[in-house]
Amino acid sequence: MIWKKTMSLADCNKFCQQTAISHLGIEFTQLGDDYLEATVPVDHRTVQPFGLLHGGISATLAETLGSLGAALCCDENQIPVGTELNISHIKAVRQGKARGKAKPVHLGGSSQVWQIDIYNEKDELCAVSRLSVRVLDKK
């Protein structure tokens, strides 16, 4: 297991209440030994004018997953801050929910890199993303 902090899925979702994350309907759904998953609904809050999941929302889902994963892999006296996010959109998501799955690529003392893949409800890959994180000491 990679996690240095223990949080339940309920704790993860409660932690994000009253933020953009909860406003968009992002919900953490699975916490495995080395991965974290969340979903976002495809609805009036998250689509672009053509009715497709907005690319910025996919990026928000990716950053949310990578950032919380990074936080769970930090010591108590550390905080993660995102330094770079890239995302490639492969297939449009038109309805239902999109599901993101984050796994670490690198867990270092001062930096982390996370791979976040986004799928539709048919389990088809719709986007791939990578988040780089700097690990800072709390001040």
Side-chain angles (χ1 to χ4, degrees):
M1 181 157 11
I2 61 171
W3 314 118
K4 293 183 178 182
K5 295 178 185 148
T6 304
M7 285 181 83
S8 68
L9 288 174
D11 293 335
C12 293
N13 288 308
K14 185 176 180 181
F15 178 67
C16 296
Q17 285 181 346
Q18 304 301 315
T19 68
I21 298 162
S22 64
H23 174 74
L24 294 171
I26 294 173
E27 181 181 1
F28 295 97
T29 56
Q30 285 194 42
L31 181 60
D33 287 344
D34 68 346
Y35 71 92
L36 179 62
E37 289 190 7
T39 60
V40 65
V42 180
D43 65 18
H44 69 280
R45 298 168 293 178
T46 61
V47 297
Q48 38 93 312
F50 298 110
L52 309 174
L53 181 64
H54 192 290
I57 302 303
S58 296
T60 301
L61 177 61
E63 178 126 8
T64 298
L65 278 162
S67 293
L68 185 58
L72 294 175
C73 289
C74 285
D75 292 331
E76 287 299 324
N77 65 336
Q78 297 174 318
I79 58 168
V81 294
T83 55
E84 182 179 14
L85 174 70
N86 67 61
I87 187 164
S88 297
H89 303 283
I90 298 167
K91 184 180 184 85
V93 182
R94 301 175 185 276
Q95 63 185 9
K97 291 184 179 182
R99 174 181 57 87
K101 182 173 185 174
K103 293 188 82 167
V105 175
H106 167 72
L107 295 174
S110 62
S111 68
Q112 298 181 17
V113 178
W114 288 78
Q115 173 78 28
I116 306 96
D117 294 328
I118 299 176
Y119 303 87
N120 62 18
E121 289 187 320
K122 294 179 182 177
D123 210 29
E124 298 169 321
L125 185 63
C126 296
V128 294
S129 180
R130 185 165 287 192
L131 175 68
S132 297
V133 175
R134 171 68 86 198
V135 177
L136 303 175
D137 289 331
K138 287 182 183 177
K139 294 190 179 190

